[in-house]
Amino acid sequence: MAKKVVATLQGGAGSKKMTKVIKMVKSSKSDAYIFEEKVMNADEVEGFLKK
C-alpha cells in the first residue's frame, strides 16, 4: 500500500509537492492518544504540527 501512496503523491512536473503527515493527539474524552492523518502541501506541514 505504501508504494501506491508514494506514487500518487509524486505527481508530474506541474504538481505541488504533497506530504502525508501523521500527528499524535491526546483525546479529551478518554485521555487516550489518537492519530490524525492528512495529505497536504509540503509548505503547510509546520503550521499543522504546531496546532
Side-chain angles (χ1 to χ4, degrees), residues 3-4 10-12 20-21 23 27 29 31 37-38 42 46 48 50:
K3 291 182 180 179
K4 290 181 184 177
Q10 287 178 350
K20 182 175 183 178
V21 183
K23 179 168 81 169
S27 173
K29 294 180 183 178
D31 291 335
E37 297 182 20
K38 279 193 173 182
E46 291 295 325
F48 175 73
K50 288 184 180 180

Side-chain angles (χ1 to χ4, degrees), residues 1-12 15-16 18 39:
M1 185 169 114
K3 291 182 180 179
K4 290 181 184 177
V5 172
V6 171
T8 58
L9 294 178
Q10 287 178 350
S15 66
K16 294 182 179 180
M18 303 296 284
V39 176

